[in-house]
Amino acid sequence: MTPQRRVILDLLREKRWHPTAVELFRAVRRRLPRVSLGTVYRNLDLLSQAGKIGRVDPPEGPRRFDGFMERHTHARCVSCGNVEDLEYSGPGWTEVLRVVTGGSETTESGFRLTGHRIEFEGTCARCSLEERAGAG
Amino acid sequence: MTPQRRVILDLLREKRWHPTAVELFRAVRRRLPRVSLGTVYRNLDLLSQAGKIGRVDPPEGPRRFDGFMERHTHARCVSCGNVEDLEYSGPGWTEVLRVVTGGSETTESGFRLTGHRIEFEGTCARCSLEERAGAG
DNA sequence: GTTGGTGCAAATAGTTTGCAGTAGC
DNA sequence: GCTACTGCAAACTATTTGCACCAAC
């Protein structure tokens, strides 16, 4: 646990915020003026791999596009990144949450909820096969 | 509707796939060899603004980090990009879907579901205020 | 002849990586 | 003297943008 890593972790835990790497970099630099952005990225990576911090919404890779507009859901393969459609189009999560929050669309903090984004993760058929082939 | 835009739309609708801009660019180039990547991006943007195509998982901006590891959910402000925590930690969507798929963890196509990612969208208190101030 | 669209290339944003130097055991 | 880590800068990936040209009305 180097001083740099310590400061990063402390800052992330001091309050509930969700800084970007660059925002965090600026905050760290106030305490350790010679820190570099690369170090911040490296430590964020190490810390999240160690399960000490979380990342908001980590779908990686480029954006993907979809020619079909009927309501459906996506499943992204964590191995190859490809996206498949899922048939499910039941009640949306926003509706579920609205029930949970007593029918309100606004949270205590004044955040007005208008939608949600959901994506499933897993391993596609092809990658499942390859995994099995590779393992044994 | 230029030839380029036509080909992009056709390709996206020919089958259920979810190409990246670059994958699509390669496919378009097979039909229109002189097309440029910039044109593909511009048309993808126009088509999705027109509601003719969809985008998979479009949270924009840089990745954000989180120092708190208790189970919770995030709400992202579509105006300023900031992320807030939501108290909700009810049944996960994976569990819901598992019920929907009859308890199975694998879809018909052989996709093995292992998790999900969910994020709420809306407007935070500060941006709601500013909107109202700007409008009135 | 103006409008919107294009190809090309350069710019931008976010992130990762190569490298030489360093702090702590 | 290893080892893990650092600062710095360059590289890389995905996307956007400036610009001169072009096609259609």
Side-chain angles (χ1 to χ4, degrees):
Chain A
M1 183 64 73
T2 64
Q4 290 86 339
R5 198 169 305 160
R6 183 78 258 161
V7 169
I8 289 170
L9 194 52
D10 285 352
L11 280 168
L12 275 172
R13 287 182 174 168
E14 264 170 27
K15 54 174 172 169
R16 296 204 88 110
W17 64 327
H18 304 81
T20 65
V22 171
E23 284 165 0
L24 199 47
F25 167 60
R26 293 205 193 99
V28 175
R29 209 165 37 173
R30 261 174 250 133
R31 302 193 186 174
L32 300 170
R34 292 189 53 75
V35 81
S36 78
L37 183 56
T39 295
V40 171
Y41 272 109
R42 272 186 289 234
N43 279 310
L44 285 170
D45 202 39
L46 285 169
L47 287 168
S48 76
Q49 270 182 262
K52 290 206 164 69
I53 64 168
R55 310 209 281 188
V56 180
D57 198 39
E60 15 213 68
R63 189 179 293 163
R64 286 166 181 276
F65 298 86
D66 188 351
F68 294 82
M69 297 298 283
E70 315 94 64
R71 189 174 181 189
H72 63 278
T73 315
H74 293 122
R76 186 187 299 259
C77 176
V78 294
S79 172
C80 66
N82 279 338
V83 168
E84 276 186 30
D85 285 346
L86 281 184
E87 294 294 325
Y88 184 79
S89 60
W93 214 224
T94 319
E95 292 116 83
V96 174
L97 190 83
R98 210 165 282 158
V99 173
V100 171
T101 60
S104 164
E105 297 185 351
T106 307
T107 69
E108 277 181 43
S109 69
F111 194 106
R112 194 157 39 84
L113 295 160
T114 56
H116 67 275
R117 179 177 326 150
I118 184 152
E119 181 178 285
F120 291 89
E121 286 182 346
T123 314
C124 70
R126 172 199 277 265
C127 288
S128 293
L129 273 175
E130 277 174 20
E131 255 177 42
R132 231 163 293 155
Chain B
M1 183 64 74
T2 63
Q4 290 87 340
R5 198 169 306 162
R6 182 79 256 160
V7 169
I8 289 169
L9 194 52
D10 284 352
L11 280 168
L12 275 172
R13 288 183 174 167
E14 264 170 28
K15 54 174 172 167
R16 295 204 89 109
W17 64 328
H18 304 83
T20 65
V22 172
E23 283 166 358
L24 198 49
F25 166 60
R26 294 207 192 98
V28 175
R29 210 166 37 174
R30 260 174 251 132
R31 302 194 187 173
L32 299 171
R34 293 190 51 75
V35 81
S36 79
L37 183 55
T39 295
V40 171
Y41 271 109
R42 272 186 288 236
N43 279 311
L44 284 171
D45 202 39
L46 286 169
L47 287 168
S48 75
Q49 269 183 263
K52 290 206 165 70
I53 64 169
R55 310 210 280 189
V56 179
D57 198 38
E60 13 213 68
R63 189 180 293 164
R64 287 167 181 274
F65 299 86
D66 188 351
F68 294 82
M69 295 300 281
E70 314 92 66
R71 188 175 181 188
H72 63 277
T73 314
H74 293 122
R76 186 186 299 257
C77 176
V78 294
S79 172
C80 66
N82 279 337
V83 169
E84 275 185 32
D85 285 346
L86 280 184
E87 294 294 324
Y88 184 78
S89 60
W93 212 226
T94 319
E95 292 114 82
V96 174
L97 191 83
R98 210 165 281 157
V99 173
V100 171
T101 59
S104 164
E105 297 185 351
T106 307
T107 69
E108 277 183 41
S109 68
F111 194 106
R112 193 157 39 84
L113 295 161
T114 56
H116 66 275
R117 179 176 324 141
I118 184 156
E119 181 179 285
F120 292 89
E121 285 182 347
T123 314
C124 69
R126 171 199 278 267
C127 288
S128 293
L129 273 176
E130 277 173 22
E131 255 178 43
R132 231 162 293 153

